[in-house]
Amino acid sequence: MLEMAVGLGSLTALGNSVFGQQAKPAFTPWVEIGPFYPVLKPLDEDADLTIIKGHKARAEGQIIHVAGRVLNLKGEPVKGAKIEIWQANTHGRYVHKSDPNPAPPDPNFQGSAILKTDAEGRYRFKTIKPGSYPVTPTEQRAPHIHFDITGKTNRLTTQMFFPDESLNAKDVVFNGIYLDKNAVLAKQVPPTKEIGAGELLLGWDIILIDG
């Protein structure tokens, strides 16, 4: 696991734009774990999914940075929360043997990671925006990233969706969320100086009941 107490840099100065999006926290909805949870963990599971140790080439696709905090309903940070993330590559294919999607794999994409929040509940990782993929001949999943969060008291599996994504309105999982759908939508925020040209910064806080 990667301790996220360091490396947040100037993101800490963004205040409410990333690390305090919700003045009155609402519990982040549970979302199904899905069929492609990475039971077989990659040897490289750090917070940069765009490059694999020993590879010279980076993953294909739009590079994004995701940063936020894990909080409880009182707004208190959840220190040391374990966060597992996994997602499809830019073509919409998972790094999972059982994925039937004929889209091309990306040998330079890490696919999943394990993080740990710092003393202020903060986390951050670098990845690519996942592609959409078919679930039936007529349905597509909207781009999303899976999260499995284990705090001191609570565990939550959920999915983070992207803002202004046209496929959200047709996504069967997104539309099945019975709580506030805004709670699973990340927010695009202005890039900090450490974000590369053409890369995007997204903020998303995760709210557990007790932490």
Side-chain angles (χ1 to χ4, degrees), residues 19 37 62 68 72 75 80 94 96 100 116 143 158 195 211:
F19 296 122
Y37 172 80
Q62 169 70 61
N72 64 18
Y94 286 87
H96 195 288
K116 202 171 185 179
T158 191
I195 304 299

Side-chain angles (χ1 to χ4, degrees), residues 158-189:
T158 191
Q159 295 177 24
M160 186 199 85
F161 291 81
F162 290 79
D164 303 319
E165 177 60 54
S166 61
L167 284 173
N168 287 344
K170 300 178 181 179
D171 187 273
V172 62
V173 175
F174 184 79
N175 286 291
I177 295 171
Y178 62 90
L179 298 176
D180 184 3
K181 291 179 174 57
N182 288 321
V184 296
L185 280 174
K187 294 182 179 180
Q188 186 173 336
V189 295

Side-chain angles (χ1 to χ4, degrees), residues 6 12 16 44-45 61 69 72 80 131 158 165 177 179 203-204:
V6 295
T12 57
N16 289 339
D44 184 3
E45 54 183 22
R69 297 177 75 187
N72 64 18
T158 191
E165 177 60 54
I177 295 171
L179 298 176
W204 189 53

Side-chain angles (χ1 to χ4, degrees), residues 60-64 90 127-129 198-200:
E60 300 176 70
Q62 169 70 61
I63 293 178
I64 62 172
T90 190
T127 187
I128 53 90
K129 182 179 179 180
E199 299 176 1
L200 301 178

Side-chain angles (χ1 to χ4, degrees), residues 9 26 32 52 54 59 67 73-74 92 96 121 123 129 136 139 142 159 162 173-174 176 184 193-194 199 201 211:
E32 64 186 46
I52 298 175
L73 280 175
K74 296 178 181 179
H96 195 288
Y123 73 91
K129 182 179 179 180
T136 72
E139 291 181 299
Q159 295 177 24
F162 290 79
V173 175
F174 184 79
V184 296
K193 63 181 180 181
E194 57 209 43
E199 299 176 1
L201 174 59

